[in-house]
């Protein structure tokens, strides 16, 4: 297997991890305004992701860094062409991170309410725009012979991309609700299950539409298979939720998200950014990659350090594995 293919798979793996892990804390952030009935319950929700949200964002940093080093042309075209949506995502992530740290610094409800809105909006914006961005990457954008994006912001707001954005936002809400059910006790756990089951039917329709549209565009059997597995996993998660199987419900949505992201990368390969102007202008794993020597050095570094990072993050989830409830929140 060529190193360009290895690094395409590794970048896909990093974004799968990012969407699975950051997906549930985006969902929990949005649920602060939907599930919690009082300040103690809002603190419960924030505390479920408090120890892990910043670690989850490391996957994005590493994925972006890997893209920059392994496929600099892809990085340059993506970050220049998608400048506005990626800038909005960055601002939302910054505001959201600040909100987690600042909401408890004053014992004033108005102060906390403002930061809660920052958490909600800072979670909603990336959840929506990541779906729009990745759908556009797979669909293709206007790229000229110099590998420069020549479209505008509204080129990105096409029906397929908007469907992708709606899907990521809604599935992250369900994924987040299942994480809340997995990590809490009492009434808030019951409401999380009920919310996920109500929204789940809508998400299932959106997922089938998006997976079908993607597979029909690509026509590859692997895309149909992976998309089908993702849909079945989501339905399995809903079924587990109805039986109060918190862990399996969360696993179901995690596998569904991982499947959809993997499906998008399979549909994309060997392109990394298809051109809608002329297929010859498309960026591929070959014409967008770094030199073989650079990829070789990066591969050895990844082999050495990736297991360490994975073990550390797994350890942090193990340490903070216990459930919490309002009884654990001091006055």
């Amino acid at each position: 297997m060529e190193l360009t293919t290895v690094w395409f798979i590794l970048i896909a793996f990093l974004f799968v991890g990012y969407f699975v892990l950051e997906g549930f804390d985006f969902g929990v952030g949005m649920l602060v305004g939907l599930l919690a009935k009082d300040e103690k319950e809002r603190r419960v929700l924030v505390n479920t992701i408090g120890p892990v949200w910043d670690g989850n964002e490391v996957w994005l940093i590493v994925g972006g860094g890997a893209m920059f080093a392994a496929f600099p042309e892809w990085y340059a075209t993506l970050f220049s062409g998608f400048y506005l949506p990626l800038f909005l995502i960055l601002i939302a992530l910054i505001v959201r991170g600040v909100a987690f740290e600042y909401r408890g610094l004053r014992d004033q409800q108005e102060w906390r309410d403002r930061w809660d809105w920052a958490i909600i909006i800072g979670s909603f914006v990336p959840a929506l725009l990541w779906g729009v961005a990745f759908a556009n990457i797979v669909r293709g954008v206007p790229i000229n012979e110099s590998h420069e994006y020549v479209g505008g912001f509204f080129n990105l707001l096409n029906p397929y991309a908007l469907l992708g954005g709606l899907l990521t936002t809604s599935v992250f809400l369900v994924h987040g609700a299942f994480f809340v059910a997995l990590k809490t006790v009492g009434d808030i756990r019951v409401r999380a299950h009920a919310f996920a089951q109500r929204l789940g039917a809508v998400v299932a329709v959106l997922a089938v539409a998006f997976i079908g549209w993607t597979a029909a565009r690509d026509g590859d059997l692997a895309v149909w298979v992976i998309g089908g597995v993702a849909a079945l996993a989501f339905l399995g998660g809903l079924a587990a939720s109805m039986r109060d199987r918190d862990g399996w419900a969360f696993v179901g949505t995690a596998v569904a998200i991982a499947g959809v992201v993997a499906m998008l990368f399979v549909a994309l390969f060997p392109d990394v950014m298809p051109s809608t102007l002329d297929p010859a202008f498309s960026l591929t794993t070959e014409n967008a990659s770094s030199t073989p020597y650079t990829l070789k050095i990066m591969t050895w570094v990844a082999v050495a350090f990736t297991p360490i990072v994975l073990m550390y993050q797994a350890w942090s989830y193990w340490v903070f594995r216990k459930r919490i409830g309002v009884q654990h929140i001091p006055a």
Side-chain angles (χ1 to χ4, degrees), residues 16-170:
V16 165
Y18 173 69
F19 281 113
V20 170
L21 297 177
E22 192 82 315
F24 73 72
D25 69 48
F26 283 154
V28 174
M30 290 185 282
L31 289 171
V32 167
L34 296 173
L35 282 185
K37 292 185 175 181
D38 55 36
E39 171 60 19
K40 277 198 171 184
E41 290 191 345
R42 284 191 287 271
R43 289 172 67 184
V44 167
L45 289 178
V46 171
N47 286 345
T48 61
I49 58 174
V52 297
W53 69 267
D54 47 356
N56 293 343
E57 291 186 354
V58 171
W59 289 76
L60 173 62
I61 296 169
V62 176
M67 185 185 294
F68 171 77
F71 301 102
E73 287 271 5
W74 184 11
Y75 180 93
T77 303
L78 175 64
F79 278 75
S80 59
F82 290 31
Y83 178 83
L84 182 55
L86 292 177
F87 178 74
L88 292 174
I89 288 173
L90 177 62
I91 294 298
L93 292 177
I94 292 172
V95 170
R96 179 172 175 267
V98 171
F100 283 132
E101 302 297 332
Y102 273 60
R103 77 175 302 277
L105 293 184
R106 290 186 187 177
D107 190 17
Q108 298 175 1
Q109 194 58 48
E110 184 179 359
W111 169 269
R112 288 174 175 167
D113 288 344
R114 289 174 179 172
W115 288 117
D116 286 342
W117 275 109
I119 292 172
I120 295 165
I121 296 171
S123 301
F124 169 76
V125 170
L128 176 69
L129 292 183
W130 276 127
V132 171
F134 267 79
N136 272 298
I137 292 172
V138 175
R139 173 183 176 271
V141 291
I143 299 173
N144 64 16
E145 66 277 7
S146 301
H147 295 161
E148 295 177 355
Y149 178 77
V150 293
F153 175 72
F154 291 102
N155 289 95
L156 304 177
L157 302 181
N158 54 79
Y160 177 71
L162 292 175
L163 177 60
L166 289 174
L167 176 60
T168 51
T169 304
S170 57

Side-chain angles (χ1 to χ4, degrees), residues 174-175 177-179 181-183 189 193 196-197 230 232-257 323:
V174 175
H175 194 40
F178 286 157
F179 183 77
L182 182 64
K183 289 286 292 178
R189 174 182 172 272
H193 272 302
Q197 291 164 19
L232 290 175
F234 183 79
L235 294 176
L238 289 180
S241 173
M242 293 175 185
R243 293 175 172 82
D244 283 337
R245 301 294 297 274
D246 302 337
W248 285 111
F250 181 75
V251 168
T253 50
V255 172
I257 293 169
R323 295 175 183 262

Side-chain angles (χ1 to χ4, degrees), residues 199-214:
L199 184 59
V202 177
V203 177
V205 173
L206 292 174
V208 169
F210 184 76
I211 291 169
W213 196 340
T214 303

Side-chain angles (χ1 to χ4, degrees), residues 258-269:
V260 170
V261 178
M263 177 194 73
L264 292 176
F265 274 94
V266 170
L268 184 61
F269 186 79

